[in-house]
Amino acid sequence: MYIELVECTDLEFSGRRFLLETDSDLHSIIASSAENVLVNPTKSRVDCGIADSRQPEEHVEKSLRDSEKRVRIQHALSQATVSLRDGFDDFKAGRFDIARLAPAARSITNSILLSPHVLVEMTRLKTKDEGTYIHSLAVSGLMTGLGHLSNLGEETTRDLTIAGLLHDIGKVLIPNAILNKGGQLTDAERRIMHSHPERGYQLLKQHPGVPDLVLEICRFHHEALDGSGYPLGLRAAQLTLPIRICTICDVFDALTSVRPYKRAWTTTEALKWMFDRGHLFDRRLVLRLGSLLS
Ligand SMILES: [Fe+2]
């Protein structure tokens, strides 16, 4: 059978697609940290059991529809990753053009409309190299979904999609040794890491055509309602709905992702953790995110 993806906490199969041919290959997957395996029946040489006649017909159809959705979303996300990586490279080279993010934004919008839930599952597969890109795509997708649900209008929702893609762009200026450090950051390293929103804002500001909302979200996405966030320690009254949306989507994606020091939390665990911290996060939006993903 053809394996499209393997969801595993230790990332040993991350990003790999392959034809599974022998029993010993199968046992290697079973012995790994794999939690879910996506089989593509159309590329498999054997009946994968997805169309098992003992299953109710409706269930079979749903499984196939979900598999197709996953494959389409994975394809859309890999295309969006490429165009986002190009955009970041352009940015580093000083020739950033926001219009070049349009294909990535379109892929994100289409994916989130196809299935927000599957999109979140796919983003758990991020690898170290693509971490920042896939995180940006995931946040962008969730922000697009929340923008729709919050009736913010087409233009603002489009800006939210772009803001999600660019909110962490300041990280291109943070040394990899700090960005990818497995253990705890020192105080000095944390200060450098915490400079990414302001650095991103200062850089984006130099480029024409970047909407004010995108600049604002880039600068303030790590602020918290009680004033304990950074860089400015703003409080609830100064934090607009679009900024709050970004903060929640950003934290949600971080919690539901695998990190060197933790497993991926479930959607329910992440939502509950944020809901229990109403002093930091807007509870209405946490609930709205839950309804987007249910
Ligand atoms: Fe950030």
Side-chain angles (χ1 to χ4, degrees):
M1 62 184 82
Y2 190 85
I3 307 296
E4 281 290 349
L5 57 96
V6 183
E7 290 182 354
C8 42
T9 48
D10 294 339
L11 300 178
E12 58 264 58
F13 289 99
S14 186
R16 283 183 51 197
R17 310 160 87 188
F18 53 93
L19 190 65
L20 182 68
E21 292 183 286
T22 64
D23 281 354
S24 77
D25 289 348
L26 180 61
H27 287 125
S28 316
I29 294 186
I30 293 169
S32 73
S33 66
E35 289 172 349
N36 283 303
V37 172
L38 172 62
V39 176
N40 183 342
T42 61
K43 289 188 184 171
S44 297
R45 296 180 197 151
V46 293
D47 179 353
C48 306
I50 289 175
D52 189 334
S53 60
R54 288 166 300 179
Q55 291 178 340
E57 230 166 72
E58 260 182 39
H59 180 73
V60 172
E61 274 182 23
K62 188 177 177 309
S63 296
L64 284 171
R65 276 200 309 273
D66 286 349
S67 295
E68 279 168 22
K69 271 185 194 173
R70 282 163 182 259
V71 173
R72 281 167 64 189
I73 288 174
Q74 189 184 33
H75 183 65
L77 285 184
S78 41
Q79 282 186 323
T81 305
V82 171
S83 87
L84 188 58
R85 189 184 298 136
D86 288 348
F88 275 43
D89 286 346
D90 282 354
F91 187 85
K92 280 188 241 179
R95 52 170 193 268
F96 179 73
D97 177 1
I98 195 162
R100 290 199 55 184
L101 288 179
R106 237 186 341 265
S107 295
I108 287 295
T109 305
N110 292 340
S111 297
I112 200 78
L113 293 178
L114 202 56
S115 170
H117 200 228
V118 176
L119 174 68
V120 170
E121 284 183 37
M122 302 299 304
T123 63
R124 293 182 186 184
L125 298 168
K126 60 175 75 78
T127 61
K128 199 172 164 191
D129 288 346
E130 295 185 333
T132 302
Y133 303 121
I134 305 283
H135 168 69
S136 303
L137 294 174
V139 172
S140 174
L142 294 171
M143 288 175 71
T144 307
L146 269 189
H148 279 298
L149 262 189
S150 305
N151 294 318
L152 289 180
E154 211 173 299
E155 197 179 324
T156 304
T157 303
R158 199 173 49 236
D159 285 352
L160 287 185
T161 308
I162 298 289
L165 294 175
L166 293 176
H167 74 284
D168 266 346
I169 195 145
K171 285 188 179 171
V172 301
L173 301 174
I174 305 295
N176 277 341
I178 296 178
L179 212 51
N180 298 325
K181 186 172 175 183
Q184 283 244 320
L185 297 179
T186 63
D187 286 348
E189 288 168 338
R190 190 172 299 106
R191 265 196 301 280
I192 294 171
M193 187 67 150
H194 283 191
S195 69
H196 79 268
E198 186 65 28
R199 287 182 179 213
Y201 165 74
Q202 294 296 342
L203 287 168
L204 281 180
K205 197 165 77 148
Q206 298 166 14
H207 295 275
V210 180
D212 287 346
L213 187 58
V214 174
L215 294 174
E216 199 176 82
I217 287 173
C218 176
R219 192 179 195 189
F220 299 134
H221 68 274
H222 283 290
E223 298 286 356
L225 297 180
D226 65 357
S228 63
Y230 59 89
L232 299 183
L234 300 181
R235 303 189 79 88
Q238 299 158 292
L239 298 173
T240 61
L241 187 64
I243 295 170
R244 295 176 186 207
I245 284 178
C246 184
T247 304
I248 281 172
C249 297
D250 187 25
V251 172
F252 177 82
D253 184 65
L255 294 176
T256 55
S257 299
V258 178
R259 291 283 193 273
Y261 47 87
K262 74 164 188 63
R263 66 175 173 87
W265 289 15
T266 65
T267 296
T268 310
E269 286 170 335
L271 291 172
K272 184 176 180 319
W273 189 88
M274 288 196 288
F275 189 82
D276 289 345
R277 285 159 182 77
H279 57 292
L280 302 176
F281 309 106
D282 187 329
R283 281 190 166 140
R284 288 168 312 159
L285 290 174
V286 176
L287 292 175
R288 211 169 289 166
L289 182 59
S291 67
L292 177 71
L293 299 172
S294 62

